[in-house]
């Protein structure tokens, strides 16, 4: 298994440009997450999804959009990039465990380092 | 408001010098508390999940404990390869969200 993969690894954008960060997992996990990590800080949740077709906002959703058309893929869209979106972006996935209990253990991708100039 | 505070921000140890990292949390009902290790330029790697006060888990030189207000990550006789940033996260009981602390950067010198 490749686990969680993210592309690209690095990207430089100009202010006002748009781009999509790709995330894919091959573990058949229902739950997927997007985080951003600023230098010296913890991870902040941007959006998450509990299954194909279902997404919800996290702590810092402004300036971002997501979609989840398949179990495997969870792309993050940046519209009108701003310098404040310079960060490292991590995608993660986790499994559900039968019934209502959610294991919570997340598996992270290697990250995308984005700079907006 | 759900939040997580980790201390210290940075910790320098000599090889073999045991110590503890702290994670204090406030959450509206705890579903789980998680410890992750993050190496420079990489994504966090899962270490432990703790679900209830009094629970303990061990892995090699690491031991995680949990009370109703905080968790400790004890490092016994650390080695240079234990150098990394250690992140703590909590999941509230009624939400599919996770709140992360800012981490403790551990440096173990030979």
């Amino acid at each position: 298994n490749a686990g969680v993969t993210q592309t690209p690894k690095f990207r430089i954008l100009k202010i006002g440009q748009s781009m999509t960060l790709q995330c894919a997992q091959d573990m058949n996990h229902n739950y997927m997450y997007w985080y951003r990590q600023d230098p010296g800080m913890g991870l902040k949740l941007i959006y998450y999804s509990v299954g194909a077709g279902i997404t919800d906002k996290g702590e810092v959703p402004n300036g971002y959009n997501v979609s989840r058309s398949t179990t495997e893929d969870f792309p993050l869209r940046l519209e009108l990039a701003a310098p404040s979106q310079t960060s490292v972006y991590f995608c993660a996935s986790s499994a559900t465990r039968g019934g209502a209990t959610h294991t919570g253990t997340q598996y992270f991708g290697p990250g995308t380092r984005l700079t907006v100039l | 408001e759900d939040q997580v505070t980790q201390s210290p921000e940075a910790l320098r140890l000599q090889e073999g010098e045991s110590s503890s990292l702290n994670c204090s949390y406030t959450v509206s009902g705890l579903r789980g508390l998680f410890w992750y290790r993050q190496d420079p330029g990489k994504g966090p790697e899962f270490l432990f999940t703790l679900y209830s006060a009094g629970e303990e888990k061990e892995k090699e030189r690491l031991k995680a404990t949990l009370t109703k207000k905080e968790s400790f990550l004890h490092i016994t006789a650390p080695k240079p390869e234990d150098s990394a940033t250690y992140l703590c996260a909590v999941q509230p009981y009624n939400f599919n969200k996770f709140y992360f602390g800012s981490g403790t950067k551990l440096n173990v010198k030979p």
Side-chain angles (χ1 to χ4, degrees):
Chain A
N1 287 350
V4 179
T5 57
Q6 293 183 238
T7 56
K9 290 185 178 180
F10 304 93
R11 184 72 184 269
I12 298 175
L13 284 181
K14 294 183 179 179
I15 295 173
Q17 287 186 318
S18 299
M19 77 163 294
T20 299
L21 281 65
Q22 301 292 343
C23 173
Q25 53 92 9
D26 61 359
M27 297 174 282
N28 201 32
H29 286 171
N30 284 331
Y31 291 72
M32 295 188 75
Y33 308 83
W34 274 107
Y35 292 91
R36 60 176 286 171
Q37 185 177 36
D38 298 324
M41 304 293 289
L43 285 77
K44 297 289 187 182
L45 183 64
I46 305 171
Y47 271 97
Y48 68 97
S49 169
V50 301
I54 306 170
T55 63
D56 204 351
K57 296 178 180 179
E59 289 182 271
V60 290
N62 292 343
Y64 306 95
N65 278 301
V66 295
S67 60
R68 182 100 180 268
S69 58
T70 67
T71 299
E72 294 78 19
D73 300 299
F74 190 39
L76 177 71
R77 179 80 176 165
L78 278 71
E79 304 281 2
L80 299 175
S84 60
Q85 293 178 305
T86 294
S87 190
V88 181
Y89 292 83
F90 289 102
C91 178
S93 72
S94 63
T96 56
R97 180 173 63 194
T101 304
H102 175 42
T103 64
T105 301
Q106 296 176 82
Y107 298 87
F108 285 82
T112 294
R113 185 175 297 273
L114 175 68
T115 302
V116 182
L117 300 174
Chain B
E1 181 181 321
D2 300 327
Q3 64 178 16
V4 179
T5 303
Q6 290 188 247
S7 61
E9 291 185 6
L11 182 62
R12 301 176 103 183
L13 298 174
Q14 288 296 130
E15 183 173 3
E17 179 187 3
S18 301
S19 188
S20 297
L21 282 56
N22 178 263
C23 172
S24 297
Y25 66 91
T26 55
V27 65
S28 52
L30 180 70
R31 180 183 290 271
L33 183 141
F34 308 88
W35 282 99
Y36 289 86
R37 169 188 171 129
Q38 186 175 26
D39 292 305
K42 296 190 175 181
E45 179 184 346
F46 171 74
L47 292 173
F48 302 108
T49 307
L50 301 167
Y51 293 101
S52 58
E55 189 174 0
E56 299 182 351
K57 289 194 176 174
E58 288 187 69
K59 179 181 179 181
E60 295 181 358
R61 295 176 294 282
L62 301 177
K63 179 180 178 180
T65 62
L66 180 65
T67 72
K68 289 186 178 180
K69 294 184 177 181
E70 58 191 351
S71 176
F72 291 94
L73 184 65
H74 306 279
I75 303 175
T76 302
K79 298 181 178 182
E81 53 261 42
D82 294 322
S83 296
T85 295
Y86 291 86
L87 298 171
C88 171
V90 298
Q91 182 185 19
Y93 193 82
N94 292 323
F95 297 97
N96 295 312
K97 297 181 182 180
F98 297 81
Y99 297 93
F100 279 80
S102 56
T104 293
K105 187 174 183 179
L106 176 65
N107 184 12
V108 182
K109 293 197 167 187

